[in-house]
Amino acid sequence: MISCEGTVTEREYLDRLQAVCWYGVTLDILSNQGGTSPVQVLERIRNYGKTLSPGDELWCVVDKDQWTSEQFEELLRWKAEPSPIYRGIALSNPKFELWLLAHFRDLPATCGPSECERLLAEFLPDGGKHIVPAAFNRESMEAAVAHATTTCPCGSLPFDFTGTNVWELVRRILDSSQI
């Protein structure tokens, strides 16, 4: 189960990820009705009424955007709570498009939102606001994981630096879909 703040880019990417990893993985992506703050993204997961099974995971996909560390505290508490279901946070700083950029090149050491879109526009129209399916396949996803791990090691959240740990979510899904 995935709850994300974005209405277009994140959803299109996750739909593409599902298509690439069709074997052994089912992604339930919650609508982003109800706002984009970290707490609102978390509330959608908490209100999810479907029964979860062993092996299921819950993920919140969020951008650093303008949110303060205090606004992420509830999300961090939720992740730390003991649970038989894995809970993950996939955070991009400054925004999800940085994760998309990792599919094409190494990530910059620093990058603001407009710079991120400018760099991504070299590879995708609209600065990556819409997914071009042919550009996102298993090979490019593996490359993105490799690129992103250099700026955001496993277990870290990029609150105070440019980076994305969306690779952790994608790595888990890619690994789960192996035949």
Side-chain angles (χ1 to χ4, degrees):
M1 171 56 49
I2 301 172
S3 178
C4 50
E5 79 174 55
T7 58
V8 177
T9 311
E10 290 89 336
R11 179 66 188 230
E12 288 182 7
Y13 181 82
L14 293 169
D15 286 343
R16 181 65 186 146
L17 180 60
Q18 174 71 70
V20 168
C21 299
W22 60 271
Y23 181 81
V25 175
T26 300
L27 301 180
D28 290 328
I29 306 160
L30 297 174
S31 162
N32 108 328
Q33 299 290 330
T36 64
S37 76
V39 170
Q40 291 165 321
V41 170
L42 176 58
E43 281 307 306
R44 286 193 291 280
I45 284 274
R46 285 187 170 150
N47 293 330
Y48 181 66
K50 190 173 181 182
T51 303
L52 298 172
S53 303
D56 286 349
E57 299 186 7
L58 299 172
W59 282 85
C60 290
V61 178
V62 292
D63 295 346
K64 173 62 171 88
D65 286 335
Q66 75 281 3
W67 309 115
T68 66
S69 296
E70 293 77 30
Q71 291 170 303
F72 283 99
E73 285 178 9
E74 189 171 348
L75 197 59
L76 293 170
R77 280 192 298 274
W78 166 80
K79 184 181 183 334
E81 290 170 1
S83 174
I85 303 294
Y86 182 87
R87 297 174 178 188
I89 300 169
L91 175 69
S92 295
N93 186 2
K95 59 197 300 181
F96 187 79
E97 285 75 9
L98 186 69
W99 168 247
L100 300 181
L101 183 62
H103 289 70
F104 305 102
R105 56 164 282 180
D106 289 333
L107 295 179
T110 61
C111 184
S114 58
E115 177 71 2
C116 183
E117 288 176 11
R118 186 189 67 72
L119 291 170
L120 189 55
E122 295 174 19
F123 304 97
L124 296 173
D126 301 326
K129 285 299 178 191
H130 290 282
I131 299 300
V132 177
F136 296 93
N137 53 42
R138 189 173 195 99
E139 182 179 284
S140 71
M141 291 173 183
E142 295 282 359
V145 169
H147 290 143
T149 57
T150 63
T151 61
C152 192
C154 187
S156 64
L157 292 170
F159 289 115
D160 300 321
F161 60 91
T162 297
T164 178
N165 77 321
V166 173
W167 72 265
E168 291 183 45
L169 167 62
V170 172
R171 172 84 277 145
R172 291 177 76 91
I173 293 170
L174 290 172
D175 288 350
S176 294
S177 72
Q178 295 290 328
I179 297 176

